[in-house]
Amino acid sequence: HELRQAGFEPDWQRVETEAEYITVLWQCTQTGQIPDVILADYSLPQFDALRALHLLREYSFDIPFIVITGTASEEVMVECMKQGADDYLLKDRLTRLGPAVINALQEKKLRDERKRAEKALESHTEQLRPLAVRLAEAEEVERQRIARDLHDQVGQNLTALGINLNIIRTQMSKEAP
C-alpha cells in the first residue's frame, strides 16, 4: 500500500528461507532480471536481514537493500547500515517506505552513473596511453634533432670563429713589428 501511495506498481517475490533467497539470487544471475530493491524483515525464524545482505554482496549485486523491523534498536540499526543496508525502517512507521525506496533508487542511480563514468574514464585513459607514448617518443626525436642542429651550428660557428681569429692573428703579426 505504501509503495503504491509513493507511485510504484510493485511486482514482488517473497522468500522466507535462505535456500529460497539463494535460489532467487542465482536465478537473477542466470536471467539478468535483477530486482530494483530488496525489502528484508530484520528477523525471520529461519533467516535474517544481515544474512540476506551478506549473501547479496557475496553474489556481487548492487541492489538497494532496506531493512524493516518491528523493534527499535540503535545498535541493530547501526550494524545494518555498517553492513551496507541502504535504510532501516520500523514497521510502525511504514509511511517512510515510499520515500526510503525513492532515495535508495536515486542513490543506486548515482552509483551506476559513477561506475559508467569511471569505466568511460578508464577506457579513454587506455586510448590515450598509446598517444602519450607516441608523443613522448616524438618529443625525444625532436630533442635529438634540435641537439644535433645546435651542435652542428655551434660547431660551424666555432670553426668560422677559429678561422677568423687565425686570419686576424696572421694579419696582426704582419702589421706588428
Side-chain angles (χ1 to χ4, degrees):
H1 174 74
E2 292 301 331
L3 290 174
R4 285 190 179 95
Q5 289 289 97
F8 294 102
E9 287 299 323
D11 177 18
W12 52 276
Q13 181 174 0
R14 178 179 172 168
V15 297
E16 293 185 19
T17 66
E18 184 173 332
E20 288 176 319
Y21 185 68
I22 290 171
T23 300
V24 169
L25 289 178
W26 183 83
Q27 288 171 349
C28 290
T29 62
Q30 300 305 305
T31 64
Q33 295 177 347
I34 313 255
D36 294 322
V37 67
I38 294 176
L39 306 176
D41 195 329
Y42 178 72
S43 79
L44 293 171
Q46 301 174 13
F47 191 41
D48 69 27
L50 290 180
R51 178 71 180 142
L53 183 56
H54 173 76
L55 289 168
L56 183 69
R57 299 301 179 239
E58 196 174 286
Y59 275 79
S60 300
F61 284 123
D62 183 14
I63 302 171
F65 191 95
I66 298 174
V67 177
I68 300 172
T69 185
T71 59
S73 165
E74 191 173 318
E75 294 81 23
V76 171
M77 180 186 74
V78 168
E79 185 60 27
C80 288
M81 300 306 274
K82 275 184 182 178
Q83 296 297 321
D86 291 271
D87 210 335
Y88 180 91
L89 303 174
L90 296 174
K91 288 180 183 177
D92 64 352
R93 296 186 189 145
L94 285 181
T95 54
R96 282 196 53 238
L97 182 59
V101 169
I102 290 169
N103 185 47
L105 292 173
Q106 287 173 341
E107 288 179 13
K108 167 80 166 85
K109 184 179 177 183
L110 290 173
R111 286 192 304 267
D112 290 346
E113 288 173 3
R114 187 182 74 240
K115 285 178 188 175
R116 276 191 293 277
E118 287 171 354
K119 283 183 181 180
L121 178 61
E122 187 177 307
S123 173
H124 286 92
T125 300
E126 288 300 316
Q127 290 173 354
L128 291 175
R129 188 167 284 128
L131 294 174
V133 168
R134 286 197 341 229
L135 178 61
E137 290 170 351
E139 285 176 347
E140 184 58 30
V141 167
E142 186 62 16
R143 275 192 207 106
Q144 290 174 356
R145 186 192 64 75
I146 290 171
R148 234 182 347 268
D149 288 351
L150 284 174
H151 178 267
D152 293 348
Q153 216 171 21
V154 169
Q156 288 173 1
N157 288 341
L158 286 175
T159 302
L161 277 174
I163 292 170
N164 287 339
L165 283 174
N166 283 336
I167 292 171
I168 293 171
R169 194 177 309 134
T170 304
Q171 285 180 352
M172 287 179 73
S173 62
K174 288 181 184 175
E175 292 176 8

